[in-house]
Amino acid sequence: MSHVSGYEGTTAGDGGGKYFPPPPDLVSNHGGQPPPALRDWNIPAISEDEAKEAFIQYAASKCCYSQNPAREMLFEDLQSFNTYRYRLETFTESRSTAWKSEPYNGEGVDSYLCGVPPLPWDIRMEIPDMFRDHIKRTKVPHTSSVKGCQTCGCSGRRPCSECHGLSRKECWVCNGRGVRLSDKKCTTCSGTGSSICNSCSGLGTKACPDCKGRGQLLSFIELQVEWQNNIFEYLVDQRTGFPTELFKEVNGKKLFVNEEYMVHPVISFPQSDINKASRNAVEQHMTQFGSTTRILRQRQTIELIFLTKVEYEWHGKSYSYFVYGNEHNVYAEDYPKKCCCTII
C-alpha cells in the first residue's frame, strides 16, 4: 500500500485495523474539581400492604397455586435486606484506520494531489447520542488512488468456480455416462455426458468479485470511529440466601445520578462497599481508557434494589418469601398450597 504521512502502520483488513491514541490535548483528566459534597440519602422501605399485594399477584400468576395462603396469611416478620447497585458508564471514542478498496467506476479520484491528508483525530465527526454504542466509517480525504485489480490481472474476469473454466459441467441426470439406468440415451445432455454450465452461461469465466468486472480498484484509507459505552457494575451482596441473579430482571430506585465530563468517586454513601466500588471503578476506567481513547462523558448511578424477606404463618405453619425490585417481583421457594395438574 502507498505510504501516507501520519498513517504509518495502516494495513489492509476488515474492521478495526491500526488504532491511533488521541493527542495529549484530548486525553481526559479530572481538572482538580472537588468530589461531590456529603448529602442526605433517603432510604425507603416496602410496607406490609405492598408485600401482601405482591404475594397475591404472584400466586395469581401461577396456574397451579391457590391464592388462599397469600390472602389469609398472618405476618410474623418483615425484614428489609435492601441492596444497592452501583454503575459507572464511561462513554469513549476510539479511532482506527485500514486500507480498503472498491470497484473503480471512473469517478473523480481524491488523491494526494488534492491536498495533504488530515490526521486521524483532525477529521471532524458528529458525536451520536451519549452512552450508546455506535460506529461510523469514512474515507480519509486525499488518500485515494486507482490500481489494477490483482485478483483478475486487470481483466475483470475470473475462471468460473463451478465448471473450472471449462464452460461445461457433468450432467446431473446421468452423472456423465450419457445414458440412463435403462441404457437409453440421456435426453438432458443428448448423450454427451455434460451440459452447459448455468453459473457462467457457458462462458467459462465470470465477473471478478473484487472489481465487479471493472479491472480496476479505487484504494483509500478508511477511518473507523467507534463510540462505546463501557460499563462497570457492582452489586452489594447481603448474603440472605436470595438468588442474586434474579436482580438482573428488575430495576431499582435511583438514589443518585452524577453525570459529568469526568466524575469523582462517591465518598459519602452510607454503604461503605459502594464508596469503595466507586473509587475502584473510576480508577479502573481511567487506567483502561484514559490514554488509549478519548473519554467524552461519564455517568455514575446508585440504585436501591428493594429486597424484603417476609415471614408469615398459614394454617399453623411458618413460611417465607422475598419481594424484590421496583416491580415487586416475588421469589417463594416453599409456597404452601400447590396442586398437581397436567395441561393437555
Side-chain angles (χ1 to χ4, degrees):
M1 295 299 178
S2 302
H3 170 78
V4 179
S5 179
Y7 290 86
E8 292 82 0
T10 299
T11 58
D14 297 325
K18 176 179 172 56
Y19 280 86
F20 290 85
D25 59 322
L26 292 181
V27 174
S28 306
N29 59 72
H30 282 287
Q33 296 297 321
L38 183 67
R39 55 171 291 171
D40 179 29
W41 304 97
N42 180 28
I43 311 297
I46 192 172
S47 67
E48 287 189 1
D49 289 342
E50 291 173 317
K52 183 171 184 177
E53 179 60 28
F55 202 31
I56 293 173
Q57 294 299 323
Y58 168 76
S61 69
K62 305 291 185 179
C63 66
C64 297
Y65 285 23
S66 168
Q67 295 183 36
N68 291 341
R71 295 184 180 279
E72 300 169 359
M73 69 174 185
L74 299 176
F75 280 102
E76 290 184 338
D77 195 10
L78 201 67
Q79 301 177 63
S80 178
F81 293 104
N82 292 342
T83 191
Y84 306 97
R85 180 164 53 202
Y86 171 83
R87 181 185 288 115
L88 173 64
E89 300 170 86
T90 299
F91 188 58
T92 61
E93 176 184 334
S94 62
R95 298 195 173 198
S96 61
T97 59
W99 278 101
K100 294 296 179 73
S101 60
E102 60 186 31
Y104 177 60
N105 299 309
E107 67 272 23
V109 179
D110 183 17
S111 71
Y112 70 95
L113 298 175
C114 300
V116 178
L119 296 176
W121 286 93
D122 290 338
I123 299 174
R124 297 189 62 179
M125 298 290 286
E126 184 177 351
I127 299 174
D129 294 339
M130 288 287 180
F131 304 108
R132 296 185 65 180
D133 293 351
H134 196 75
I135 293 178
K136 285 185 180 179
R137 298 180 178 90
T138 187
K139 293 179 182 177
V140 175
H142 318 320
T143 62
S144 298
S145 61
V146 177
K147 302 179 184 298
C149 179
Q150 296 182 358
T151 303
C152 63
C154 306
S155 67
R157 307 291 296 183
R158 290 280 294 167
C160 174
S161 60
E162 293 292 326
C163 66
H164 306 290
L166 300 177
S167 304
R168 301 181 68 85
K169 293 175 60 178
E170 181 182 89
C171 177
W172 64 276
V173 176
C174 65
N175 295 322
R177 296 173 60 246
V179 294
R180 298 192 178 186
L181 295 177
S182 58
D183 289 333
K184 292 183 179 180
K185 185 174 69 172
C186 177
T187 56
T188 302
C189 63
S190 300
T192 63
S194 64
S195 58
I196 293 176
C197 177
N198 292 327
S199 181
C200 64
S201 301
L203 298 176
T205 62
K206 299 176 69 174
C208 174
D210 288 354
C211 67
K212 300 294 188 281
R214 301 291 182 178
Q216 291 182 308
L217 295 171
L218 180 69
S219 297
F220 54 90
I221 294 179
E222 181 181 78
L223 173 69
Q224 175 177 290
V225 183
E226 181 176 4
W227 293 274
Q228 187 170 8
N229 192 32
N230 305 278
I231 299 175
F232 176 102
E233 194 168 276
Y234 174 78
L235 182 72
V236 178
D237 186 0
Q238 301 288 37
R239 302 186 185 279
T240 61
F242 176 81
T244 56
E245 64 272 12
L246 296 180
F247 285 133
K248 296 179 181 179
E249 305 172 355
V250 297
N251 296 308
K253 176 181 176 62
K254 283 186 171 61
L255 301 178
F256 175 72
V257 179
N258 174 219
E259 181 180 326
E260 296 181 38
Y261 165 56
M262 290 290 290
V263 301
H264 284 268
V266 176
I267 61 174
S268 58
F269 195 72
Q271 174 65 257
S272 61
D273 286 351
I274 291 295
N275 297 323
K276 181 178 179 181
S278 178
R279 183 174 65 254
N280 291 340
V282 171
E283 292 177 356
Q284 178 180 314
H285 275 201
M286 175 57 70
T287 301
Q288 187 173 356
F289 308 115
S291 59
T292 58
T293 67
R294 180 186 178 191
I295 296 179
L296 300 175
R297 197 79 175 164
Q298 285 188 316
R299 178 171 62 194
Q300 58 182 345
T301 58
I302 300 174
E303 290 177 284
L304 167 71
I305 304 181
F306 294 110
L307 179 61
T308 301
K309 184 176 183 180
V310 180
E311 296 181 352
Y312 67 97
E313 177 192 337
W314 186 70
H315 286 191
K317 293 184 179 181
S318 295
Y319 302 91
S320 66
Y321 65 94
F322 288 94
V323 182
Y324 62 101
N326 277 358
E327 298 82 356
H328 288 177
N329 286 3
V330 168
Y331 172 73
E333 191 174 20
D334 58 347
Y335 193 81
K337 191 175 183 181
K338 306 175 186 178
C339 66
C340 297
C341 59
T342 303
I343 300 176
I344 300 177

